[in-house]
Amino acid sequence: THPFATDEESSPYSYSTIFDDSEMDSFDFEYDFCQPKVVTCTPEPDAFNPCEDILGYSFLRVLIWFINILAIAGNFTVLLVLLTSHYKLTVPRFLMCNLSFADFCMGLYLLLIASVDAQTSGQYYNHAIDWQTGSGCSTAGFFTVFASELSVYTLTVITLERWHTITYAMQLDRKLRLRHAVPIMLGGWLFSIGIAVLPLFGVSSYMKVSICLPMDIEAGLSQAYILLILVLNVVAFIVICACYIKIYIAVQNPELVAANKDTKVAKRMAILIFTDFTCMAPISFFAISAAFKVPLITVTNSKILLVLFYPVNSCANPFLYAIFTKAFRRDFFLLMSKLGCCKSQAELHRMNYFSAYNSNCKNG
């Protein structure tokens, strides 16, 4: 039975702090801020549902708002600028739009978790059943699984596109076109939606924990589902590593000097993608151990990974992939000039763009 289950109409938990007010005054603020509030609950909670608020730690409650606002604002800005740009929608731009949308969905998941945590702070025991068995938790779980899988898929496609562009830089007939990228990403969307929908139909479950991740591995099919996701993510990382090793070898070839622009993009994306997967490494490690029913950390401590590692990519990607690039700044100022702002900066970027374009044309 669910640890929050009760036959009475009253609160399913008998909630009381272990320390009284006079004792709590002796604790430093720093200790209180960095430790989850300790309470006693009846009936006895289990490993997946400790007797605590959704986020548990006070510092996580602060960080999650900062991260989700940054992720939503950054990715929304990237989507707005790229989709409204009057320049041609190239394959890299198209892939960046997909990545930004995936990261935007991750921001929505964090916003939903942060909002419910703020509303139920100090009394989550009264809302546990309604939240974890309701549509809100299912929606949050769908968002996070869909977003994470689409993000990993898109990062892999971006890397493969960079490798293909560098490897076949002199063979224009083999260049990846938008008509090729669209069905590839359509497959990624269908795959991500399918993976995210499965827990809604009994393959694992979003109701197991308060943060609405599919942690139910009791059934063999549910365990296989979790292992499939983790294995696919590891395979994606191996593919990315292999591609960038090949890219590094390829750019040493003096015949590829003409593709200098592509080599710069490839080097920048190599750093970014390795950073992404470095953030995902601890989550994958602990998740694989848990999938084999040998958990190395508690659910309470896993919430630190949820806030500090899991969404960092969604927060950083729009800035590192787009906002900090010259092309994005040009598109941004051109968009602002249409609204009557930043006209001088827009004109400067427009002149620089046509100057570089004419120079490239002269050089063939």
Side-chain angles (χ1 to χ4, degrees), residues 346-360:
E347 187 61 31
L348 178 62
H349 280 281
R350 186 181 289 108
M351 291 174 61
N352 290 338
Y353 171 77
F354 285 112
S355 176
Y357 179 81
N358 291 330
S359 177
N360 289 335

Side-chain angles (χ1 to χ4, degrees), residues 9-245:
E9 293 182 356
S10 59
S11 166
Y13 270 143
S14 174
Y15 175 89
S16 62
T17 57
I18 287 179
F19 306 106
D20 59 30
D21 293 340
S22 60
E23 290 175 316
M24 288 303 293
D25 289 341
S26 64
F27 285 84
D28 293 331
F29 170 78
E30 180 179 357
Y31 179 85
D32 182 61
F33 188 70
C34 296
Q35 298 294 326
K37 180 180 286 188
V38 182
V39 297
T40 56
C41 296
T42 304
E44 188 70 19
D46 62 17
F48 287 100
N49 292 281
C51 185
E52 63 186 22
D53 289 332
I54 293 181
L55 292 177
Y57 295 91
S58 297
F59 77 94
L60 292 181
R61 188 169 289 120
V62 175
L63 282 176
I64 195 170
W65 279 103
F66 173 77
I67 292 175
N68 83 67
I69 291 174
L70 204 56
I72 291 174
N75 287 291
F76 179 79
T77 301
V78 171
L79 282 171
L80 179 65
V81 172
L82 291 181
L83 294 177
T84 57
S85 174
H86 67 276
Y87 290 99
K88 181 181 178 181
L89 182 64
T90 60
V91 172
R93 283 171 175 265
F94 172 71
L95 296 177
M96 188 63 235
C97 287
N98 283 270
L99 182 61
S100 294
F101 182 80
D103 292 337
F104 179 79
C105 289
M106 181 63 73
L108 294 180
Y109 161 74
L110 293 173
L111 177 62
L112 189 53
I113 293 294
S115 299
V116 174
D117 178 70
Q119 293 173 4
T120 62
S121 179
Q123 53 178 354
Y124 178 67
Y125 53 89
N126 283 328
H127 306 274
I129 295 177
D130 292 338
W131 166 243
Q132 288 179 225
T133 62
S135 59
C137 193
S138 298
T139 301
F142 176 86
F143 268 127
T144 187
V145 173
F146 167 77
S148 62
E149 292 311 302
L150 183 60
S151 181
V152 170
Y153 182 92
T154 307
L155 286 170
T156 306
V157 174
I158 287 174
T159 307
L160 289 170
E161 189 272 335
R162 286 294 90 200
W163 167 78
H164 186 274
T165 301
I166 294 294
T167 303
Y168 302 104
M170 300 303 174
Q171 302 177 36
L172 297 181
D173 58 317
R174 302 192 65 172
K175 186 176 180 180
L176 186 66
R177 307 291 181 180
L178 201 57
R179 65 176 181 272
H180 304 133
V182 170
I184 290 173
M185 286 310 305
L186 179 60
W189 274 71
L190 294 176
F191 166 76
S192 301
I193 292 173
I195 289 291
V197 163
L198 285 177
L200 301 178
F201 292 94
V203 181
S204 192
S205 174
Y206 294 129
M207 296 186 289
K208 189 72 172 180
V209 292
S210 61
I211 52 179
C212 307
L213 294 178
M215 290 187 175
D216 185 1
I217 55 172
E218 295 302 320
L221 186 60
S222 298
Q223 187 178 23
Y225 165 78
I226 299 298
L227 287 173
L228 173 65
I229 293 177
L230 296 173
V231 168
L232 288 176
N233 288 346
V234 171
V235 170
F237 177 62
I238 293 173
V239 170
I240 287 171
C241 289
C243 284
Y244 273 106
I245 291 174

